[in-house]
Amino acid sequence: MKSIMFIAPPAAGKGTQAELIMDQYHIPHISTGDILREISKEDTEIGNYVYETLASGNLVKDEITYKLVENRLSKKDCKNGFIIDGFPRNYEQALKYDEILKKINLKLGYVFVLDIDEKRLEKRITGRRICPDCHAVYNINEENQKPKIDSICDDCGGKLYQRKDDNLESFQTRYQMYLKKTAPIIEHYDKKGLIYHLDGNKKPNEIFDQIIKIIGGE
Ligand code: AMP
């Protein structure tokens, strides 16, 4: 199984697609945002720094991010494919990612780009709720993505929470950064013939069907 990368603005649904792929193909989902959120809970100097940076919507220092990506991808469970989500986020990180993969003998694979309207993203950001226990993602602004019981996870009964950076102010910082810094790396992967565009305005299961067709069709 080739590795899979997602390039998408915040709340475009990359986490949801990554979880669906993980269940179907049994490969790990590596989200730099999730790993950093775990680090932000630690009461250490790095933990406190990461906590503040995440809340502001700015990027965490490269030296921290690179180390965590290399360490995580070096684990045995990545040998048969993995999904990377949230990294790389700019051109420098894309070049560093090429270097890291070479060093640990892994390859680039599919690069999925989720294209989606800004207004829809705003609606998703303010409605997104997450289960802290099983990481299921819900959206109270989308009829078909609400939990059955208010604030409770359908799958495991966990108490849903809202991410600290899921507000309109932080969204604008993250979205503008995506447009200026992350979107331009699409060209880097396009030159390598790895890019697949997906319509992020569609329902999660329709997007997933597109992904399966692409993966299955190779
Ligand atoms: P995400 O869950 O991908 O939206 O990421 C949440 C936050 O984690 C971002 O707003 C950044 O503060 C931080 N973060 C995630 N990935 C990276 C990265 N590749 N480089 C630097 N900071 C990151």
Side-chain angles (χ1 to χ4, degrees):
M1 175 84 188
K2 288 186 195 167
S3 70
I4 293 172
M5 183 198 290
F6 278 101
I7 301 180
K14 56 189 158 71
T16 303
Q17 292 306 320
E19 294 294 315
L20 293 169
I21 295 171
M22 186 172 83
D23 288 347
Q24 175 95 5
Y25 296 100
H26 308 291
I27 55 174
H29 169 205
I30 296 157
S31 152
T32 47
D34 282 351
I35 299 174
L36 288 164
R37 270 184 289 281
E38 282 304 310
I39 296 175
S40 77
K41 291 180 193 159
E42 294 166 10
D43 191 13
T44 58
E45 199 178 323
I46 291 189
N48 294 336
Y49 157 76
V50 171
Y51 180 87
E52 295 295 331
T53 311
L54 260 61
S56 73
N58 288 308
L59 289 189
V60 167
K61 279 187 231 163
D62 281 344
E63 64 196 76
I64 296 176
T65 312
Y66 293 162
K67 201 185 278 171
L68 75 84
V69 169
E70 184 173 336
N71 286 348
R72 183 61 189 87
L73 292 183
S74 301
K75 296 206 169 137
K76 249 196 358 232
D77 63 345
C78 293
K79 288 279 170 275
N80 297 321
F82 57 89
I83 308 152
I84 185 121
D85 148 17
F87 183 86
R89 259 181 154 83
N90 54 42
Y91 192 60
E92 294 77 52
Q93 290 194 354
L95 294 180
K96 182 70 184 184
Y97 187 48
D98 290 345
E99 240 178 66
I100 293 174
L101 289 180
K102 204 167 166 198
K103 183 170 165 195
I104 55 181
N105 212 15
L106 294 175
K107 286 198 168 52
L108 285 166
Y110 305 98
V111 181
F112 292 121
V113 180
L114 277 167
D115 301 308
I116 180 163
D117 301 335
E118 181 179 352
K119 281 284 159 235
R120 188 175 285 264
L121 291 175
E122 286 187 358
K123 197 172 153 201
R124 288 212 187 148
I125 279 280
T126 49
R128 179 157 66 179
R129 300 291 183 274
I130 300 167
C131 175
D133 303 326
C134 71
H135 304 289
V137 181
Y138 297 87
N139 203 298
I140 60 167
N141 291 340
E142 304 268 358
E143 247 351 283
N144 58 353
Q145 291 173 45
K146 280 183 180 171
K148 290 196 183 87
I149 304 169
D150 203 19
S151 305
I152 302 292
C153 177
D154 292 353
D155 297 338
C156 76
K159 173 120 183 56
L160 304 182
Y161 75 99
Q162 184 171 24
R163 271 171 50 171
K164 210 170 159 43
D165 56 352
D166 276 352
N167 57 69
L168 287 181
E169 193 189 343
S170 175
F171 166 72
Q172 269 310 326
T173 307
R174 290 151 68 206
Y175 186 60
Q176 291 308 322
M177 191 143 41
Y178 172 79
L179 294 180
K180 279 198 205 102
K181 300 279 186 179
T182 310
I185 68 174
I186 294 170
E187 203 190 325
H188 178 70
Y189 297 110
D190 210 13
K191 281 186 194 147
K192 298 176 192 278
L194 303 175
I195 292 286
Y196 296 87
H197 284 273
L198 303 168
D199 184 354
N201 297 297
K202 291 201 167 147
K203 293 197 184 103
N205 58 333
E206 291 172 346
I207 301 172
F208 187 53
D209 285 346
Q210 267 183 284
I211 293 177
I212 288 192
K213 271 196 199 117
I214 294 164
I215 296 177
E218 293 244 329

